Amino acid sequence: MKHFDVAIIGSGPSGASTAYHLAKAGISTVIIEKETLPRYKTCGGGLVFRGRNSLPFDIKAVVDKEFYTVDIVLGEKLQFKTHREEPTITMVMRDSFDKHFTERAKEVGVTLLENHKLESLEFNDNLVYLTTSQGTITTNFVIAADGALSPTAKMAGWLKDTRKLIPALEYEVEVSDEDFERLSKVVRFDIDAIPYGYAWSFPKKKHLSIGVATTKRSKINLKKYYQSYLETLGINIIISESQHGFQIPVSPRTDGFVKNNVFLIGDAAGFADPITAEGISNAIYSGKLAAEAIIEADKEPQLAAVLYEAKLDAKLIPELKTALWLSKWFYEQKTIRNLFLKKYGQQVCEEMANIFHGKRTYPKDIKQKLKDKVKQLVF
Ligand SMILES: Cc1cc2nc3c(=O)[nH]c(=O)nc-3n(C[C@H](O)[C@H](O)[C@H](O)COP(=O)(O)OP(=O)(O)OC[C@H]3O[C@@H](n4cnc5c(N)ncnc54)[C@H](O)[C@@H]3O)c2cc1C
């Protein structure tokens, strides 16, 4: 039976990130992936600069487009643009991006087992026995990088799901040359194009990724809002269209991120941004933190667990908690929000761009700051 120090379930950005950093430090690491790469992943493929900038290798080969200017639209009256010298959003297709990332991990020593689906976990004598669709391996650490559904978390004992999962619907759309010429120059977010959420148009090399996401889990007909968004974009002719629906976990679990030497990262942990639902950069970041914890603990499981939780608490968890509160305010208090944006909209968009660029994070005292500014507006 093969043994690895660390077994990572999933070859998305979180898993590839942990794998890369562990193998670089000389730790024997395997990625267990149920699909064969490259595989399609439902995602807008908008990689924000802080995520791209944190990668220890070049990704030019898998970049579809780069956007230095981002448009934020709230109907006819409130429209903003932010511009930066570095690409705020890099467009990738996740099949090529994830493969590229995994290939870089393989180059530093990671073993990739494709077409291996994790089926069960067993804990015995300080070892974890992983049964996959193609046999069993043993390991000291398991990293659950298996996305929003995370079967690994369930197998490891996270029986109740404490994350907030929001529905999103995304289409890969081929439009006429004329429409593509017009729409491929702009990356845009249309806030309120769907209740409690937003729609996006992300231009790729030859097509558009268009989607809608809502922060409410009520009976909102996502398809209907997608169709009316096509009208907003002025798209009348569709040459081809493929529909992909999935969930995005936009709040961190509240019952811990480590159990029985199993560490949760990325979507499995609930680390997508609560306001933008952007999950790739925090997937990469949390993957790196898990690797650092194991390396710094010299593979001692209890210490690694303590270090990982401490690293998360130092920055990511407080950031996500603030963003979760802000997201509720932003999407649910429309009238006051629009009043606020009339005065401070450009400033808010600049700060969001700064967050995308990793230049700042959500302010800790956001509640008080907002209250003070709203008071000034109303009185
Ligand atoms: C519609 C939509 C649009 C989005 N748009 C964006 C965007 O534009 N920008 C952005 O930053 N984020 C976006 N996100 C969020 C982003 O896709 C995720 O946050 C990100 O992919 C999380 O990465 P991950 O590595 O944690 O998991 P994933 O990327 O989901 O990877 C999980 C991997 O685990 C594998 N796996 C699952 N089960 C098993 C098993 N039993 N055995 C072995 N392998 C298994 C899967 O095959 C997969 O390869 C979007 C999400 C959705 C749903």
Side-chain angles (χ1 to χ4, degrees):
M1 202 181 297
K2 273 212 166 143
H3 178 84
F4 293 88
D5 289 333
V6 184
I8 297 162
I9 319 303
S11 67
S14 65
S17 170
T18 312
Y20 181 93
H21 291 287
L22 286 172
K24 262 239 136 156
I27 293 179
S28 78
T29 304
V30 63
I31 297 180
I32 294 169
E33 169 57 55
K34 70 176 167 136
E35 307 284 342
T36 301
L37 303 185
R39 54 95 185 88
Y40 184 82
K41 157 78 179 92
T42 302
C43 185
L47 173 62
V48 297
F49 186 75
R50 68 175 177 185
R52 179 172 179 179
N53 199 33
S54 70
L55 293 171
F57 49 80
D58 187 59
I59 61 160
K60 273 205 187 86
V62 290
V63 169
D64 266 31
K65 279 183 188 291
E66 294 175 319
F67 287 92
Y68 296 73
T69 302
V70 174
D71 286 34
I72 316 281
V73 181
L74 290 97
E76 301 270 295
K77 287 191 187 143
L78 290 170
Q79 305 202 349
F80 308 98
K81 266 184 202 302
T82 62
H83 181 82
R84 292 291 181 278
E85 296 304 312
E86 281 150 335
T88 301
I89 305 187
T90 298
M91 293 300 169
V92 297
M93 287 304 289
R94 286 289 303 278
D95 49 2
S96 3
F97 175 75
D98 291 9
K99 183 163 168 69
H100 183 80
F101 204 157
T102 313
E103 287 297 322
R104 302 292 78 75
K106 277 164 70 181
E107 278 167 12
V108 291
V110 172
T111 301
L112 170 68
L113 297 179
E114 296 172 87
N115 198 14
H116 279 60
K117 182 178 180 191
L118 179 72
E119 290 176 342
S120 69
L121 289 179
E122 234 177 88
F123 303 88
N124 214 338
D125 286 340
N126 288 329
L127 282 183
V128 188
Y129 290 73
L130 300 164
T131 302
T132 77
S133 48
Q134 296 200 50
T136 302
I137 61 164
T138 58
T139 186
N140 300 97
F141 292 92
V142 176
I143 309 290
D146 50 351
L149 302 178
S150 191
T152 310
K154 287 181 198 126
M155 291 174 206
W158 278 271
L159 300 177
K160 208 174 124 218
D161 200 334
T162 56
R163 297 167 302 169
K164 177 182 179 188
L165 292 139
I166 64 164
L169 192 58
E170 191 251 342
Y171 290 74
E172 308 290 358
V173 191
E174 214 186 318
V175 295
S176 67
D177 289 348
E178 208 176 276
D179 280 348
F180 189 69
E181 172 64 17
R182 177 173 58 84
L183 293 165
S184 62
K185 295 192 174 81
V186 183
V187 55
R188 60 185 275 179
F189 295 88
D190 285 70
I191 313 296
D192 297 339
I194 181 166
Y196 310 105
Y198 72 89
W200 68 87
S201 171
F202 285 2
K204 299 295 171 62
K205 249 183 205 141
K206 292 189 176 145
H207 75 279
L208 305 168
S209 283
I210 300 177
V212 288
T214 171
T215 58
K216 277 267 186 263
R217 291 190 58 87
S218 51
K219 281 194 188 122
I220 290 172
N221 184 340
L222 278 83
K223 196 167 180 173
K224 184 184 108 189
Y225 288 101
Y226 159 72
Q227 274 157 352
S228 59
Y229 187 51
L230 291 181
E231 282 170 32
T232 306
L233 295 175
I235 298 173
N236 300 314
I237 304 161
I238 288 178
I239 292 166
S240 74
E241 182 187 54
S242 60
Q243 177 192 314
H244 309 271
F246 205 49
Q247 305 192 66
I248 314 178
V250 291
S251 79
R253 290 186 192 259
T254 56
D255 51 353
F257 302 100
V258 187
K259 266 189 222 276
N260 294 322
N261 301 354
V262 178
F263 291 52
L264 306 182
I265 60 175
D267 275 5
F271 291 159
D273 184 289
I275 298 173
T276 60
E278 175 267 312
I280 305 174
S281 63
N282 283 341
I284 296 170
Y285 178 61
S286 58
K288 183 167 177 253
L289 294 186
E292 282 172 2
I294 293 171
I295 296 163
E296 285 166 27
D298 202 12
K299 295 185 269 179
E300 203 285 296
Q302 274 176 359
L303 181 58
V306 171
L307 285 175
Y308 181 51
E309 299 265 6
K311 283 171 188 289
L312 292 175
D313 282 339
K315 183 168 170 280
L316 187 57
I317 300 298
E319 254 175 42
L320 291 173
K321 281 186 180 160
T322 305
L324 194 60
W325 181 87
L326 196 54
S327 158
K328 216 170 147 46
W329 181 85
F330 187 82
Y331 290 112
E332 293 181 20
Q333 308 284 330
K334 248 174 93 170
T335 314
I336 195 83
R337 178 204 67 196
N338 286 355
L339 197 64
F340 185 83
L341 291 180
K342 240 182 216 163
K343 178 141 194 219
Y344 299 110
Q346 190 59 39
Q347 200 181 324
V348 169
C349 292
E350 296 302 340
E351 294 305 354
M352 274 315 289
N354 286 339
I355 290 173
F356 280 175
H357 280 259
K359 295 227 177 330
R360 65 159 304 160
T361 178
Y362 295 105
K364 276 202 182 104
D365 52 350
I366 188 80
K367 273 190 210 176
Q368 196 52 48
K369 275 195 170 157
L370 264 177
K371 259 190 201 162
D372 294 346
K373 292 218 156 157
V374 167
K375 248 190 216 162
Q376 286 169 18
L377 282 176
V378 178
F379 300 110

